[in-house]
Amino acid sequence: MYNFIAPLKNKVYYSQNREDLILSAFFPEVKKGFYVDVGAYDPDKDSVTKLFYKRGWAGINIEPQNNKFALFQKKRIRDTNLNIGISNKSGTLTLRSYENQGLSTLSKEIKAKYEDDKAQLKYDDIVVEVSTLKNIFKQHNVEKIHFLKVDVEGFEYEVLEGNDWNKFRPEVICLEANHIIKNWKPILITNKYELAFHDGLNEYYTDSGTNRKTNFDYVNHIVVERGGGLNTVDYELINKLHKDNTRLHKHIEYLDHLLSIAKTEKEHVDSPESSEDED
């Protein structure tokens, strides 16, 4: 039972949509894990991995934009930082780097979409080296991956298609799912990954051969601090859960009432007196 009288404590997170807090809930017992961040963007701003790095984790950050890569080289000295893109085969591709660099993409469809929407976004087209996940994992002797995060603005299918899922199996995968150009979900399902959570922006999949989905506890690790303190930014969620619970209890009470009536009617029909009346 949660202690709602305990002192309030803020949860620290660095990501855009609390992805780091959600991923932490999959790994409450892991002190020094390993992550792979495809489309890492920035070591600080909207970073999914900064929280883990500060906790002692390490991993591979993959970011094709030169200025962003330079920041990783400066601030993530414990990590392996790669100034490339990821696709389904090695070679070169044209990265469209927008003024808002978080929108930058290798996807032809996303480029065309922004042009069709007349967004008038300023950009530079840059030819970048690309490799595949399986090649990266082989080259860097990767054995265990706690989580893989992919945010590549519509190029997720190509990233996932380039992995060897028999050899390299992240326990949890976080993918941005707000603009799916080519449906990548069958890749994960075919390779025995299960949808465990959706935060409104990203989907989180777990390797069905692990217990990460079973042990994932959103309420205990995100809504409520271990030790009893409430996360002050989650009052709205607490109220929503309470209202939902109250509404469900009312539905259950009504169904119990209907069940009681049905049971009484059945007992009447099945009684000997009822049978004699029919005769």
Side-chain angles (χ1 to χ4, degrees):
M1 184 174 181
Y2 302 126
N3 177 12
F4 290 98
I5 304 176
L8 298 178
K9 294 173 64 178
N10 285 320
K11 283 181 177 289
V12 175
Y13 62 93
Y14 302 95
S15 58
Q16 180 183 15
N17 203 43
R18 297 193 297 177
E19 293 92 341
D20 45 1
L21 289 185
I22 294 169
L23 285 166
S24 294
F26 285 101
F27 305 101
E29 84 291 359
V30 178
K31 302 301 181 183
K32 291 187 177 182
F34 189 87
Y35 50 74
V36 177
D37 192 349
V38 181
Y41 179 58
D42 192 283
D44 297 313
K45 183 181 179 182
D46 295 336
S47 173
V48 172
T49 59
K50 180 176 179 177
L51 178 66
F52 294 92
Y53 187 81
K54 288 172 69 69
R55 290 178 177 177
W57 286 45
I60 299 175
N61 303 302
I62 301 171
E63 176 53 51
Q65 299 180 101
N66 292 332
N67 63 324
K68 294 296 185 179
F69 168 73
L71 292 176
F72 278 99
Q73 288 289 77
K74 179 180 179 180
K75 297 190 174 185
R76 297 292 186 86
I77 58 175
R78 197 168 64 244
D79 285 346
T80 297
N81 306 303
L82 303 177
N83 190 202
I84 61 173
I86 297 295
S87 186
N88 51 6
K89 59 183 179 180
S90 298
T92 59
L93 290 173
T94 299
L95 173 74
R96 181 156 293 180
S97 181
Y98 292 98
E99 187 174 30
N100 176 358
Q101 290 185 287
L103 301 177
S104 300
T105 182
L106 293 168
S107 168
K108 294 179 180 178
E109 290 83 359
I110 293 295
K111 296 173 188 177
K113 177 179 182 298
Y114 287 147
E115 290 179 353
D116 291 344
D117 290 346
K118 298 181 180 179
Q120 297 181 351
L121 298 170
K122 295 181 180 179
Y123 64 83
D124 292 314
D125 281 340
I126 306 167
V127 176
V128 298
E129 177 188 351
V130 296
S131 186
T132 63
L133 283 179
K134 64 182 178 183
N135 286 343
I136 295 301
F137 296 153
K138 288 178 183 177
Q139 292 168 8
H140 296 277
N141 299 313
V142 174
E143 295 181 356
K144 185 178 182 64
I145 306 167
H146 286 93
F147 74 80
L148 166 68
K149 169 255 177 179
V150 181
D151 180 358
V152 288
E153 302 300 314
F155 212 62
E156 288 78 12
Y157 183 93
E158 288 80 0
V159 170
L160 297 179
E161 190 180 37
N163 188 33
D164 183 341
W165 295 100
N166 292 320
K167 292 183 178 180
F168 306 109
R169 298 186 61 81
E171 294 186 8
V172 178
I173 304 174
C174 170
L175 295 114
E176 189 177 66
N178 63 332
H179 41 217
I180 298 176
I181 301 301
K182 188 173 182 181
N183 189 7
W184 40 259
K185 298 182 182 183
I187 295 177
L188 297 179
I189 294 170
T190 299
N191 287 287
K192 298 182 179 179
Y193 278 83
E194 302 174 312
L195 179 63
F197 190 71
H198 184 268
D199 65 13
L201 175 64
N202 307 278
E203 292 185 357
Y204 300 78
Y205 289 79
T206 57
D207 182 349
S208 60
T210 71
N211 62 357
R212 293 302 174 191
K213 180 178 180 179
T214 303
N215 293 339
F216 175 68
D217 189 341
Y218 181 86
V219 173
N220 188 42
H221 292 285
I222 299 172
V223 179
V224 182
E225 279 276 12
R226 277 178 287 180
L230 285 181
N231 176 4
T232 57
V233 302
D234 281 325
Y235 277 124
E236 184 177 346
L237 177 59
I238 293 285
N239 290 331
K240 181 180 183 302
L241 291 172
H242 177 70
K243 290 178 181 178
D244 289 346
N245 189 49
T246 301
R247 186 180 71 253
L248 289 173
H249 274 296
K250 289 181 179 179
H251 289 326
I252 291 172
E253 288 175 359
Y254 179 63
L255 291 173
D256 284 341
H257 174 65
L258 294 179
L259 183 61
S260 177
I261 293 174
K263 183 177 180 181
T264 300
E265 292 178 347
K266 185 177 186 303
E267 289 174 349
H268 175 71
V269 171
D270 293 343
S271 67
E273 291 82 0
S274 176
S275 299
E276 291 175 0
D277 292 342
E278 290 178 358
D279 293 339

